[in-house]
Amino acid sequence: MGLLSRFRSAAPAKRPSDDVLLMLSMLLMSGADGYFDESEVGSVAAFVGQLPEFKGKELEELIAQASKLANKYSNFLDAVESLRELSSDTVKRKAFVLAADLAMSSGEVDEAEDELLTRMQRILGVDDFTAQKVLEVLAMKYAR
């Protein structure tokens, strides 16, 4: 029994909402390479302004909640496990698309981003065919 055990709630922890988990998927990918660049931050802000899960939500609050969730884990790869809590396969595929979009938006995908996206694919249950189609479309989007 820890020193603070008597102060912990006996109730199970509240399940994180889809908006927070989607934000987490984007933050994990944005920071996978060890830093957040301006284009990634701009992309995250743009997604918040366009997607229905974020309607009426404050960017700073979403980031704070997603960061708090991520801080429960020792590293980004482990934090991906929390994405299992997304409410449906549709939202899980959306999380994968958002993460892939952010990874490819910088113009160069590094090993850490590749490893993280591969892990996200497995945890989110995105099949190989769907993952490849997503990446093909994003490759067209970011072609130079």
Side-chain angles (χ1 to χ4, degrees), residues 33 35 37 40 102-111 113-114 142 144:
D33 55 5
Y35 62 93
D37 72 29
E40 290 169 326
L102 282 166
M104 295 181 78
S105 70
S106 65
E108 186 176 309
V109 177
D110 66 22
E111 189 175 328
E113 291 168 325
D114 187 28
Y142 293 109
R144 295 176 192 226

Coordinates of all heavy atoms in Angstrom, one line a residue, residues 33 35 37 40 102-111 113-114 142 144:
D33 N 9.6 12.4 -33.4 CA 11.0 12.6 -33.8 C 11.8 13.4 -32.8 O 12.9 13.8 -33.0 CB 11.1 13.3 -35.2 CG 10.2 14.6 -35.3 OD1 9.7 15.0 -34.2 OD2 10.1 15.1 -36.4
Y35 N 10.8 16.4 -31.4 CA 10.5 17.8 -31.4 C 9.2 18.1 -32.2 O 8.8 17.3 -33.0 CB 11.6 18.7 -31.9 CG 12.0 18.5 -33.3 CD1 11.4 19.2 -34.3 CD2 12.9 17.5 -33.7 CE1 11.8 19.0 -35.6 CE2 13.2 17.3 -35.0 CZ 12.6 18.0 -36.0 OH 13.0 17.8 -37.3
D37 N 7.7 20.6 -34.9 CA 8.0 21.7 -35.8 C 6.8 22.5 -36.1 O 5.6 22.1 -35.8 CB 8.8 21.2 -37.0 CG 7.9 20.5 -38.0 OD1 6.7 20.7 -38.1 OD2 8.5 19.7 -38.7
E40 N 3.9 20.9 -38.2 CA 3.1 19.9 -37.5 C 2.1 20.6 -36.5 O 1.0 20.2 -36.5 CB 4.0 18.9 -36.7 CG 4.8 18.0 -37.6 CD 5.9 17.2 -36.9 OE1 6.5 17.8 -35.9 OE2 6.1 16.1 -37.3
L102 N 0.2 13.6 -40.4 CA 1.2 14.4 -39.7 C 2.6 13.9 -40.0 O 3.5 14.7 -40.2 CB 0.9 14.5 -38.2 CG -0.2 15.4 -37.8 CD1 -0.7 15.1 -36.4 CD2 0.2 16.8 -37.9
A103 N 2.8 12.6 -40.0 CA 4.1 12.1 -40.3 C 4.6 12.5 -41.6 O 5.7 12.9 -41.8 CB 4.1 10.6 -40.1
M104 N 3.7 12.5 -42.6 CA 4.1 12.7 -44.0 C 4.1 14.2 -44.3 O 4.8 14.6 -45.3 CB 3.2 12.0 -44.9 CG 3.3 10.5 -44.8 SD 2.3 9.5 -45.9 CE 3.3 9.7 -47.4
S105 N 3.5 15.1 -43.5 CA 3.4 16.5 -43.8 C 4.8 17.2 -43.7 O 5.0 18.2 -44.3 CB 2.4 17.2 -42.8 OG 2.9 17.2 -41.5
S106 N 5.7 16.6 -42.9 CA 7.0 17.3 -42.8 C 7.9 17.0 -44.0 O 8.9 17.6 -44.2 CB 7.7 16.7 -41.6 OG 8.0 15.3 -41.7
G107 N 7.4 16.1 -44.9 CA 8.2 15.9 -46.1 C 9.2 14.7 -46.0 O 9.7 14.2 -47.0
E108 N 9.5 14.4 -44.8 CA 10.5 13.3 -44.6 C 10.0 12.5 -43.4 O 9.9 13.1 -42.3 CB 11.9 13.9 -44.4 CG 12.9 12.8 -44.3 CD 14.3 13.5 -44.2 OE1 14.6 14.4 -45.0 OE2 15.0 13.1 -43.3
V109 N 9.8 11.2 -43.5 CA 9.4 10.4 -42.4 C 10.7 9.7 -41.9 O 11.4 9.1 -42.6 CB 8.4 9.3 -42.9 CG1 8.0 8.3 -41.7 CG2 7.1 9.9 -43.5
D110 N 10.8 9.9 -40.5 CA 12.0 9.3 -39.9 C 11.7 7.9 -39.3 O 10.5 7.5 -39.3 CB 12.7 10.2 -38.9 CG 11.9 10.5 -37.7 OD1 11.0 9.7 -37.4 OD2 12.1 11.5 -37.1
E111 N 12.7 7.2 -38.8 CA 12.5 5.9 -38.2 C 11.5 5.9 -37.1 O 10.7 5.0 -36.9 CB 13.8 5.3 -37.8 CG 13.8 3.9 -37.4 CD 15.2 3.3 -37.1 OE1 16.2 3.7 -37.8 OE2 15.2 2.4 -36.3
E113 N 9.0 7.9 -36.4 CA 7.6 8.1 -36.9 C 7.1 6.8 -37.6 O 6.0 6.4 -37.4 CB 7.6 9.2 -37.9 CG 7.8 10.6 -37.3 CD 8.0 11.7 -38.3 OE1 8.7 11.4 -39.4 OE2 7.6 12.8 -38.0
D114 N 8.0 6.1 -38.3 CA 7.6 4.9 -39.0 C 7.3 3.8 -37.9 O 6.3 3.1 -38.0 CB 8.8 4.4 -39.9 CG 8.4 3.2 -40.7 OD1 7.3 3.0 -41.0 OD2 9.4 2.4 -41.0
Y142 N 1.2 14.9 -50.6 CA 2.4 15.6 -50.3 C 3.5 15.4 -51.3 O 4.7 15.8 -51.1 CB 3.0 15.1 -48.9 CG 2.1 15.5 -47.8 CD1 1.3 14.6 -47.1 CD2 2.0 16.8 -47.4 CE1 0.4 15.0 -46.1 CE2 1.2 17.3 -46.4 CZ 0.4 16.3 -45.7 OH -0.4 16.8 -44.7
R144 N 5.9 16.2 -54.3 CA 6.5 17.5 -54.7 C 7.0 17.5 -56.2 O 7.3 16.5 -56.7 CB 7.7 17.8 -53.8 CG 7.3 18.0 -52.4 CD 8.5 18.1 -51.5 NE 8.0 18.0 -50.2 CZ 8.3 18.9 -49.2 NH1 9.2 19.8 -49.4 NH2 7.9 18.7 -48.0

